[in-house]
Amino acid sequence: MSKLNELTIKEAQEGLRSKKFTAVELTQACLDRIKERNKDINAFITVCEESALEEARIADGLLNSGQDAPLTGIPFSVKDAICTAGVRSTGSAKILDNYIPPFDATVIGKIRKQGGVLLGKNNCDAFGHGASNENSMYGPVRNPYDLSKVAGGSSGGSAAAVADNMSIFSIAEDTGGSIRQPASFCGMAGFRPTYGRNSRFGIMPMASSLDTVGPITKTVYDSALIMQQIAGADSLDATTIVDSAPDYLKNFEQDLKGMRVGIPKEYFSALGGPASGGEFKLDDEVKEITAKQIDKLKELGCTIEEISLPHTKYAIAVYYILVPSEDSSNLGRLDGIRYGSRQKGKDLYDLYATSRAEGFPEEVKRRILIGTYALSAGYYDAYYKKAQTVRTLIKKDFDEAFKKVDVLITPTSPFAAFGVGEKKDDPLAMYLADVMVSPAAIAGVPALSVPSGKNAAGLPIGVQIIGSRKNEEAIFRVGNKIEIRG
Ligand code: GLN
């Protein structure tokens, strides 16, 4: 048998219920691994050693008395931009260095009420701004497959913690790729649900019209299992979908005969262009691995059809107007008065200015400046309103595509994990890394990055499966048949 910390959620559930091991032993195995590896990988900002063991003892009690729920006794971690009651939640920015939320995010509350064991909080790009985890004020996260590479971002700590077997699963946030891209860089399954499927309550808001919360897990099955537990309407988030979420495990194993798969040609040619501030070339090995997954789907009885999403080339430009605009507005609440750390100032304005100057990293400041400019009188129509108009066109591309096909297959990222420091000082190059994950986010449709093997250098590559609004089930069915673990 694998070491306890190497188990999937499903395997851990079975072991706990058949009394092969206890929740305390399982939790201790994860804590030992964190102690051994976190100094090199930096996936955790806060580790809750004592409370985790206490929660595990309670979980063992529930398991022994038959009062257990599906996630009782399963150790998990949470992106630090998600609020956890009584546990420091910094968003990876010093302005919240001492912030201890008095409440759990709705999705975290659902897991903790079942007896899930909170191991600690995962490092991320500050407030989710980034694609490499280098915009954290707590240092970069290193890729467990090669410590000289980034883990991806913004949920790099979540992906690395699960990939390195420090945590059994992690809950993260995806506004424009932050679950899928790090999952792809670290060989994990990363799922972004339909916008509104999971409550955003208690997630530090980044761009409210795009923010979603979802799991990073070792297998696609585990992602479906977590969605089963956290999805659903919430009176604390008015944007949640009111109809009840489907049973994600019911048709999970069903074969794929007759499934219509679309290949959007724009993802395989030179994307970007002047509208996106640059171009990129799709890496040959990524192309090859994606093609192999498409061949596999053909063998499994899917019909494959090339389709077009013509407005894809505007996605980065649209995203980097809408997101900083919403960011700049949401971050207004962090003023040194209401939450977290406060710096001294000679008057109120000076207090705001110094608290924000010292508490935010460079990328957060950049977004506040861009967003404030894009929303200002005289520029609003030219930037924000125009971006919203083009957003509708991008969304319509997906609506048209899903009249013809059930799911779309694309690479998750144009390349495998890049070097620490390689793009850090080039914000536009960093923005372009989102070229394949931002369109689905702009359209609000669900998408999964599924582990699909490794390149010659031994770095994991993910393939993205995009589905139509609320059709998460089709994505899981496809992902289950093509995932390549290890
Ligand atoms: N790379 C994207 C950004 O920096 C990802 C954001 C996210 O999904 N949180 O905006």
Side-chain angles (χ1 to χ4, degrees), residues 94-96 137 334-337 339-345 348-360 365:
K94 293 285 182 187
I95 198 157
L96 291 183
M137 292 177 94
L334 299 178
D335 54 7
I337 301 283
Y339 308 91
S341 325
R342 181 178 306 165
Q343 302 298 328
K344 286 201 171 62
L348 184 63
Y349 179 84
D350 196 46
L351 184 154
Y352 289 151
T354 33
S355 298
R356 285 163 74 85
E358 293 192 17
F360 289 147
K365 292 175 192 163

Side-chain angles (χ1 to χ4, degrees), residues 79 127-131 153-154 173-179 192 206 319-320 323 327 363 367 430-431 434:
K79 182 176 186 172
F127 304 121
H129 304 169
S154 62
E173 160 276 336
D174 186 311
T175 299
S178 281
I179 288 179
R192 174 193 170 92
M206 181 179 158
Y319 181 90
Y320 279 99
V323 170
D327 264 335
E363 179 59 25
R367 291 191 191 207
M430 194 69 87
Y431 294 170
D434 302 338

Side-chain angles (χ1 to χ4, degrees), residues 193-227:
T194 307
Y195 179 80
R197 181 63 92 189
N198 295 340
S199 169
R200 289 181 295 113
F201 178 75
I203 315 300
M204 292 179 192
M206 181 179 158
S208 306
S209 75
L210 291 95
D211 293 347
T212 63
V213 55
I216 294 184
T217 56
K218 296 173 187 172
T219 63
V220 176
Y221 180 91
D222 280 1
S223 279
L225 191 153
I226 293 298
M227 277 300 292

